[in-house]
Amino acid sequence: MKIFATKISTSILLFIGLFLSIPLFSFSCPIPVFRYALEYWEADSYRLEIFYKDGLSSEEQALVDRLKIKPADHGMEANIDVKTTNAEGNGKTFTHRYSEDITPFEFPWMVLRYPRISGIDGVGWSGPFNRENVNLLLESPIRSNIANKLLDDATAVWVLLESGNKKKDRQALEVL
């Protein structure tokens, strides 16, 4: 009986030893986490608020609809949540919330805020709600270039935003 127990113990130890000798990477995912995130994680949405007075024209409403296009419709999507607000009916809310951040020169007016998860509640950008500005939000050649490089398996794409100070810009470029 003792010999039988020893053979079983030896067999179990041999099995465990063989199992542990198999490289662990054979069980890991071959896709790097950053690549998985780029391809499968949804981008956080910026908040675009459009303020108007006396309603939106049919052209302006078409621009709102264009901003709300989902990928199932055209295969592309802007990571923007759009909200329209009548500034005339909500004057107190508008004045209280934006008087320090922006002063609209005309209506309709757009206010772009950072994604909620960023914790930044300030205004990222604001300007008149018109075709030119909507195109700037949706069709950025630089953003498309960056996206194409990332989709072509680049690990990272560096973007240098110049400050206007040539010495500091040169130093930043050297760091990159």
Side-chain angles (χ1 to χ4, degrees):
M1 191 68 146
K2 200 173 194 182
I3 295 173
F4 181 71
T6 306
K7 284 184 179 180
I8 291 177
S9 301
T10 306
S11 297
I12 290 173
L13 287 173
L14 182 61
F15 177 74
I16 292 172
L18 287 173
F19 180 75
L20 292 177
S21 69
I22 298 172
L24 291 178
F25 65 84
S26 65
F27 295 110
S28 65
C29 179
I31 301 172
V33 174
F34 78 89
R35 175 64 47 200
Y36 185 87
L38 282 172
E39 294 179 10
Y40 296 102
W41 290 354
E42 199 170 310
D44 294 321
S45 293
Y46 283 77
R47 299 169 287 160
L48 181 66
E49 299 165 304
I50 301 167
F51 295 94
Y52 62 90
K53 289 184 176 180
D54 302 324
L56 292 169
S57 69
S58 57
E59 181 182 342
E60 292 164 344
Q61 186 58 53
L63 290 174
V64 170
D65 295 341
R66 182 172 171 221
L67 287 165
K68 292 181 177 182
I69 290 176
K70 297 298 176 206
D73 300 330
H74 288 81
M76 58 187 235
E77 176 182 18
N79 57 326
I80 299 173
D81 286 332
V82 181
K83 177 183 175 188
T84 56
T85 303
N86 185 345
E88 195 121 88
N90 295 299
K92 289 181 182 177
T93 304
F94 180 80
T95 305
H96 172 70
R97 187 159 185 204
Y98 296 104
S99 61
E100 294 176 15
D101 294 332
I102 64 162
T103 304
F105 298 105
E106 60 188 76
F107 285 93
W109 192 262
M110 296 190 293
V111 177
L112 186 68
R113 292 185 169 277
Y114 296 98
R116 290 190 196 286
I117 196 153
S118 72
I120 302 170
D121 194 40
V123 173
W125 176 85
S126 72
F129 179 61
N130 55 38
R131 182 174 305 284
E132 179 182 353
N133 285 336
V134 168
N135 287 342
L136 287 173
L137 285 176
L138 297 177
E139 301 168 6
S140 165
I142 293 171
R143 186 176 60 231
S144 295
N145 189 1
I146 292 168
N148 287 335
K149 287 181 181 188
L150 290 171
L151 291 172
D152 287 339
D153 290 335
T155 302
V157 177
W158 292 99
V159 177
L160 175 64
L161 300 176
E162 295 178 339
S163 67
N165 181 324
K166 291 187 184 230
K167 183 178 178 183
K168 287 184 178 182
D169 291 343
R170 193 173 29 258
Q171 289 172 339
L173 182 59
E174 288 172 11
V175 169
L176 289 177

